[in-house]
Amino acid sequence: MKNSQYHSPVRQQGAVGLGDYAAIGEGRSVALIAPNGGIDWWCVPHMDSPALFDRLLDTEIGGHFSLTPTEEYSVKRRYREDSNILETEFITASGRALLTESINSNLAGPLPWNELARRIEGKEGNVDFQLTIRFGTQVETRSPWLEPTAQGNVFHIGDLMVMLRCSDDVKIKTCESNNIIAQLTTKPSSSSLCALLVSQAEPLAVPTVDAINKRIETSHLAWQNWVENLSYQGSYPQHVTRSALALKFLWFSPTGALAAAATTSLPEGIGGEKNYDYRYAWIRDACLIIKSFVYLGALEDCQAAYSWLSKTIMRHGEELLTCYTLEGGEVPAETYLDLQGYKKSQPVRKGNNARDQRQLSMYGDMLAVGQLFVQSGHILDLETSRLLSRLANQCADRWRLKDSGMWELPDLQHYTHSKMACWLALDAAVELADAGHLEATWRDRWAAERDLIAQWVERHCWSDTRQAYRFYADDNDELDAALTLVYRYGARINKSRMLSTYHAMIEELGHGGPHLYRYSHVEKEESTFVACSFWMVEALATLDENALAEQNMETILETLCDRGNVETFNEMYDIRTGEWRGNLPQGLSHLALICAAQALGNQPLSGC
């Protein structure tokens, strides 16, 4: 694998490339680690909490937890096999050392507190390390203060209590309220530990250093046990397993919610304004992740996530919200934080205004994942069945409305993808009713409206000039890669038109290659969208274009799994510069890889 090569990490004006970050997590929080041993992002206790470390978004005032050799070095990083435990090997002129990192859990799940553990082992010679900690101040609105206690120094940052626990060979040189500096030297067979314990508005448990150290291995066993219980048997199993483990970072175990990504405001284009907060649960993203969990055979995750999503929707009444907090509440309106932004890309956002949009494709998301759930051998409860019937009736009433589309655009249009997704919703509702999973009262009405949608799409959304389905209805010849998600519409209504559309996309949105931009002309302000590239593979394979699908998959993986990248995928990849863009780990990117591999393997559903 290319990510096994040694390379020397470089910070430019304090920042590293977005593709150089690796993630660790425990089903509640996610930390991002640069190749030089700097933890530049960690929101605690939860993914959507304020950041304890935020140098990722401000190299001047942002917090970080660095553990770095004091002399020049090169690094090689990898995850342990079938695990989210990260290992980084440092090579210097004087020796070699291994850094193992974990946000610890136990076999039953996350701990009552957050426990970030870093073990440093000497392999050859001697390597001098410096440990540096600066806590984030939530845009200078909270001032850390140090309280000496009988158990050790406790740092108070707002309502957080934080303790640094180290083995005896770690020598603290400076310990101030927001400036901790320590040193350690590895020797052959030496083993040192540095860990942070965090609690929020609760007493802070203080385990021994030995207990923290042992929990790294317990966490490793827990990850391996999860992977061992997956039933995926298709193509590209190593890449699929790595993407499955990346999706587990986004599974919020306290509720079952699925975050879109673990970060906010990482730019889709450097210096641009497309910098959004993705630390929430979108109906679209959650449904697609659940789909990938079904393919993986991850039964517990499927049930918990779909149950949470259904109950959250029901709790909020008649109208679907585009996204929800990880606790199931309403996402806050956008506010801007006074931070530099990654490489000075602003604004830095908290909250997301997409919460207020109309996105008709959500009907297709909810009904399709319900259909997939029962096709894989499971049973809908009465309340969820009634919810899906209600959503099908709403879809039948509202499909003629304009909306913001899947890409959450400000212009309300009759987006072709939205109409096709409504067709998918009603088609799924009809099949669920025919199989006895939904009440049959409205079955014929759903079927009639489904057929009307198809007639409308074929009349208004097809371009004879482009020989492709348009981005939106009438008087435009632009293309939209979101149509890769609705290949089933093409398979059932007009396969030749759908395939013609896909080939037009490859030529225009991919410039003849497999890496796709989201829609026509958007390349002026952003990079290729990773999920769209994999969705095209899935669509082509499903529509029997297997040779092209396989060729595209090989090219995409060869490009994305590049030097130093440990397959923690961002939202976008700049094919022109080889740089990653957007938030990470990005759920859409990883679930799309799984679905593409599933389609290429042509694996039937065998249940979870």
Side-chain angles (χ1 to χ4, degrees):
M1 294 292 293
K2 292 184 178 181
N3 62 17
S4 67
Q5 296 176 349
Y6 289 97
H7 70 287
S8 299
V10 177
R11 282 188 181 268
Q12 296 179 343
Q13 299 179 337
V16 300
L18 292 179
D20 288 333
Y21 282 103
I24 57 174
E26 88 288 35
R28 187 173 49 186
S29 68
V30 176
L32 296 183
I33 308 170
N36 68 345
I39 297 178
D40 291 351
W41 184 255
W42 191 30
C43 295
V44 282
H46 302 150
M47 277 180 277
D48 56 354
S49 299
L52 183 64
F53 300 126
D54 56 355
R55 182 165 62 177
L56 181 65
L57 293 177
D58 198 307
T59 58
E60 293 183 4
I61 68 171
H64 63 96
F65 177 7
S66 298
L67 190 57
T68 308
T70 58
E71 59 181 311
E72 289 188 6
Y73 58 92
S74 60
V75 299
K76 180 171 69 173
R77 294 191 301 171
R78 59 194 168 263
Y79 286 104
R80 289 185 181 178
E81 186 175 359
D82 296 341
S83 175
N84 275 329
I85 304 300
L86 182 69
E87 295 183 336
T88 303
E89 191 173 20
F90 291 95
I91 304 291
T92 72
S94 59
R96 182 168 62 93
L98 180 67
L99 172 62
T100 301
E101 298 172 280
S102 168
I103 300 181
N104 284 340
S105 60
N106 55 40
L107 295 179
L111 302 168
W113 59 91
N114 297 88
E115 184 174 285
L116 192 157
R118 316 185 80 180
R119 177 199 295 154
I120 313 96
E121 298 171 90
K123 297 300 181 181
E124 295 176 3
N126 299 336
V127 181
D128 294 327
F129 282 83
Q130 177 166 304
L131 178 153
T132 305
I133 295 178
R134 172 191 170 95
F135 297 115
T137 59
Q138 201 177 338
V139 199
E140 309 289 43
T141 62
R142 55 185 184 180
S143 184
W145 59 278
L146 184 156
E147 178 190 13
T149 74
Q151 300 300 321
N153 292 326
V154 173
F155 300 87
H156 297 265
I157 306 104
D159 60 356
L160 298 180
M161 283 201 296
V162 183
M163 178 177 281
L164 174 65
R165 295 285 280 168
C166 298
S167 52
D168 292 338
D169 59 334
V170 179
K171 305 303 180 184
I172 305 295
K173 300 298 182 179
T174 302
C175 187
E176 301 170 345
S177 292
N178 200 23
N179 184 28
I180 305 170
I181 299 175
Q183 295 176 347
L184 67 98
T185 299
T186 64
K187 302 173 184 179
S189 301
S190 68
S191 182
S192 309
L193 187 91
C194 306
L196 285 180
L197 310 172
V198 185
S199 69
Q200 181 184 44
E202 293 179 349
L204 179 63
V206 185
T208 66
V209 169
D210 185 56
I212 296 170
N213 193 31
K214 289 179 179 178
R215 259 195 295 275
I216 295 175
E217 301 310 317
T218 302
S219 302
H220 174 57
L221 289 175
W223 289 120
Q224 285 191 316
N225 181 69
W226 184 76
V227 171
E228 287 172 1
N229 283 293
L230 301 180
S231 60
Y232 179 80
Q233 299 293 323
S235 302
Y236 301 96
Q238 291 183 327
H239 292 292
V240 166
T241 297
R242 179 47 47 202
S243 280
L245 285 162
L247 291 179
K248 280 291 282 184
F249 286 137
L250 305 177
W251 189 74
F252 186 62
S253 60
T255 64
L258 290 161
T263 55
T264 178
S265 303
L266 297 182
E268 298 173 11
I270 300 298
E273 296 184 357
K274 291 184 174 182
N275 319 313
Y276 301 109
D277 191 349
Y278 282 4
R279 298 171 299 164
Y280 307 109
W282 267 255
I283 288 179
R284 172 192 63 239
D285 299 52
C287 287
L288 291 171
I289 293 175
I290 292 167
K291 172 185 174 183
S292 69
F293 280 160
V294 170
Y295 290 161
L296 293 168
L299 176 58
E300 294 87 348
D301 307 270
C302 291
Q303 198 279 337
Y306 197 44
S307 175
W308 175 84
L309 186 57
S310 299
K311 289 179 180 178
T312 298
I313 291 170
M314 286 186 272
R315 189 166 64 249
H316 283 270
E318 289 295 314
E319 298 299 323
L320 285 178
L321 300 181
T322 302
C323 50
Y324 303 90
T325 68
L326 303 182
E327 299 284 352
E330 292 189 16
V331 170
E334 285 184 3
T335 55
Y336 295 159
L337 303 179
D338 189 16
L339 296 171
Q340 290 178 343
Y342 177 79
K343 292 189 176 181
K344 297 186 172 16
S345 298
Q346 293 184 329
V348 175
R349 290 178 166 94
K350 177 182 178 182
N352 199 301
N353 289 343
R355 65 182 194 153
D356 299 321
Q357 289 185 344
R358 178 191 303 130
Q359 294 184 25
L360 296 175
S361 61
M362 293 188 294
Y363 294 118
D365 297 327
M366 284 297 296
L367 270 297
V369 80
Q371 182 182 35
L372 187 62
F373 192 72
V374 300
Q375 285 175 346
S376 57
H378 310 303
I379 302 170
L380 298 177
D381 64 283
L382 182 58
E383 289 302 313
T384 302
S385 175
R386 288 173 175 170
L387 169 66
L388 295 181
S389 294
R390 174 166 65 83
L391 294 178
N393 281 331
Q394 283 187 9
C395 180
D397 282 333
R398 300 177 182 182
W399 67 265
R400 294 175 178 82
L401 295 173
K402 293 182 177 182
D403 74 337
S404 295
M406 174 177 169
W407 304 127
E408 301 176 348
L409 300 173
D411 296 331
L412 294 177
Q413 297 285 355
H414 290 296
Y415 291 103
T416 302
H417 169 262
S418 297
K419 305 307 182 190
M420 289 182 175
C422 287
W423 183 94
L424 289 172
L426 295 179
D427 190 61
V430 169
E431 291 193 5
L432 285 168
D434 288 345
H437 299 289
L438 300 185
E439 294 181 24
T441 306
W442 304 280
R443 186 264 182 213
D444 291 344
R445 190 219 176 183
W446 297 334
E449 292 294 333
R450 175 198 61 187
D451 295 343
L452 287 174
I453 294 172
Q455 295 169 21
W456 194 94
V457 167
E458 296 306 301
R459 184 182 310 117
H460 296 282
C461 299
W462 174 255
S463 168
D464 285 322
T465 303
R466 294 301 304 272
Q467 287 295 292
Y469 289 110
R470 299 180 172 101
F471 191 179
Y472 47 88
D474 297 330
D475 300 326
N476 83 93
D477 285 326
E478 296 180 352
L479 301 177
D480 177 14
L483 297 189
T484 53
L485 278 170
V486 289
Y487 55 81
R488 187 165 178 257
Y489 171 92
R492 297 281 291 275
I493 300 300
N494 198 319
K495 182 178 178 180
S496 63
R497 281 188 171 186
M498 190 59 86
L499 283 173
S500 178
T501 301
Y502 291 156
H503 286 285
M505 286 180 190
I506 291 171
E507 289 306 309
E508 179 178 319
L509 304 184
H511 296 281
H515 298 277
L516 302 184
Y517 294 93
R518 292 191 294 159
Y519 47 86
S520 297
H521 313 307
V522 79
E523 64 198 78
K524 299 174 183 177
E525 56 194 34
E526 62 183 51
S527 303
T528 61
F529 200 82
V530 174
C532 288
S533 304
F534 285 122
W535 285 333
M536 178 63 81
V537 171
E538 179 186 8
L540 291 172
T542 306
L543 297 180
D544 302 320
E545 294 270 320
N546 296 296
L548 180 57
E550 189 75 50
Q551 176 185 332
N552 283 2
M553 186 73 163
E554 292 287 345
T555 302
I556 294 166
L557 291 175
E558 182 179 357
T559 302
L560 299 186
C561 302
D562 201 355
R563 182 181 66 108
N565 186 283
V566 291
E567 296 194 36
T568 302
F569 291 161
N570 300 67
E571 181 180 23
M572 297 184 179
Y573 182 82
D574 192 333
I575 195 67
R576 298 160 293 196
T577 65
E579 297 178 317
W580 289 83
R581 296 286 180 257
N583 288 301
L584 78 154
Q586 179 74 19
L588 290 179
S589 299
H590 287 286
L591 69 87
L593 182 154
I594 295 169
C595 293
Q598 166 76 16
L600 286 169
N602 195 26
Q603 293 295 308
L605 289 176
S606 59
C608 297

